[in-house]
Amino acid sequence: MQNSPVAIVTLDLDGRITSLNPAFERLFGYPPEEALGKDLDELIAAEETLLEAKRRTRQVVGGDVTRGSGRRRRRDGSFLDVEFAGVLVDVDGESSGVVALYHDITELLEARRDAEAASRAKSQFLASMSHELRTPLNAIIGYSEILQEDAEETGQEGFVPDLQKIHSAGRHLLALINDILDLSKIEAGRMELHVETFEAGELLEQVATTVRPLIEKNGNRLTIVGADRLGTIRSDSTRLRQVLLNLLSNAAKFTSEGTVALEAERDTPPDGPGEWISVAVRDSGIGMTDEQLERLFEAFSQADSSIAKRYGGTGLGLAISRRFCRLMGGDIYVDSAPGAGSTFTVRLPVAIDAAPSAGEAPVEEMPDPGGDAQAACIGTVLVIDDDPGGRALLRRVLEKERFRVEEAPGGEEGLRRARDLAPDCITLDVMMPGMDGWEVLAALKRDPELAATPVVMVSILDERQLGFSLGAADYLTKPVDRDRLRTVLSRFVTDGEPASVLVVEDDPGTREALRRALEREGWTAWTAEHGRDALARLARQRPSLILLDLMMPEMDGFEFLEALRRDAETAGIPVVVLTAMDLTADDRARLNGGVERILSKTGGTAEDLLAELHRLVAGNLLDRSAR
């Protein structure tokens, strides 16, 4: 005890110090003559932790071993962070006192805080870089598309191949940036999965159709086996598609005049619960050595420098693919030999994080609280979800917290029940047949009696839809495809007449490319450099729709939205946010119900955006604009 580097102190059953070792004296600064006989907690506990410290001492005296951490005070009034443990000493069947041990963890906590600060700085850097890198790429890709069309329309086809190379290089660079950001988000634990039920065989066929031209380019033949036997699975279709496209692209790259096979099966392992699917991508290409296989899944690593030099690539694809598979509860395995080709096998559970659905084992019902429990109800929550298992699980969680829970199995029924019940809060699933969550949300916001009711979206979709919280309805990528832009804009067409669009964007290249893309499609387009400029334009002209960037000088997109919604004359104009930012929870809260779409500058082309604007033609945003 005297030589231990750990601070040790003994107490009587009243919590008073009976002895202390030199390490305790060094740690807290109290010599024995000042500490003996004093109440330990009153001597060293900080004011805000005194009651907790005394509670723990009583527990130890009562026979419990206690461990914990907290702030404690030194003799000079300074504070330190410690880990502590206390145990009752029993001699011949009688409790005779307590031994307490203290270990200084101040430096450890400071290191942790520094690491957390560094992580926040990294996240902020990545968010900034995603905007700063994607914005000029938007102009490069957008203008290359416009110039290709101009060259074809004016008979200057000789320029088209060079413009296609510029466009292809821009898309390649954008994909690289997105890969790096994906990897960073996975490492930071910020990557979310969008779990849905889908036909796995259909997904494999779609992937094969997409990648077949690339495979055949090197004289290879693609075969598919077993896709029709996979059935439905519950997983993240977007991530699975990304993994398979990457594996098939690699197979095509490293195989020439050979065969690439996509082989799938569904099985139930004898030593584990549940069903699994296995999808193998087999090629007859160059293969790999054992040494190359060891570093295959490391980020920014390829088999060796000669492979990288000959075939190109960053070495990110396989690292990201393995991380995606592990996020989905599975993994990727590889088998290869030099000159004998390679087989990459994706193995995933058939269902991940799946709530029970109709036909599965029922969820145990909570007993009716009745009487006193009902009297203690703290509010009514309406759960709108087409999945009965999902509703039952939410009921269990909410009733434990003393909420009264009402249910609706679909959007239309949910709206009727919301009007009848006037609930304190609504939880709303996004992915529902018929009337989906976003349509329900729009209807709720239009109803004066329900517009103020808090709505919690319980289906947070994949990373592209981080902005879909409380009022947002979609999430596209920028540069976006023109067909998708056309779809979004079509929602603002009345009697065949094109709507007017105000583009608020500080980057002149992006601003001009969007204006030209819109006018080429027959829309009336105006532009503004930032929020303040846009408000001045709105005083003179009233558009049907606003395309809004978020990161701008003078007045950013968030400030502009606040000013727009404060003015009764402009509050009803629909806003589509167009941003390269990775939106945080605070950002989504600031957008709360104020925008109709969030289009991210993470991929796609102007065609994507035009197509998506046309897709909204069946909606009701013009009604809001008219009001």
Side-chain angles (χ1 to χ4, degrees), residues 549-561:
D549 191 15
L550 291 181
M551 294 183 67
M552 299 180 294
E554 294 200 34
M555 176 183 278
D556 66 21
F558 294 103
E559 296 168 317
F560 171 79
L561 269 175

Side-chain angles (χ1 to χ4, degrees), residues 173-205:
L173 183 55
L174 183 64
L176 174 59
I177 292 168
N178 290 339
D179 278 349
I180 293 172
L181 292 171
D182 272 351
L183 187 62
S184 299
K185 288 173 187 173
I186 293 170
E187 291 176 344
R190 294 175 52 225
M191 181 65 72
E192 296 179 358
L193 294 178
H194 170 207
V195 179
E196 59 182 336
T197 301
F198 58 94
E199 288 287 341
E202 290 181 8
L203 184 142
L204 263 63
E205 295 288 350

Side-chain angles (χ1 to χ4, degrees), residues 142-154 482 485-486 489 498 512-525 606-607 610 614:
Y143 273 114
S144 65
E145 291 173 342
I146 289 172
L147 289 173
Q148 282 183 60
E149 292 180 358
D150 287 346
E152 291 167 351
E153 291 172 1
T154 57
R482 289 187 189 176
L485 172 61
R486 192 179 299 115
L489 285 176
E512 181 62 14
L514 276 173
R515 183 189 65 79
R516 291 178 62 176
L518 292 166
E519 290 181 346
R520 187 181 293 273
E521 296 297 325
W523 307 99
T524 300
E607 296 293 335
L610 286 164
H614 270 300

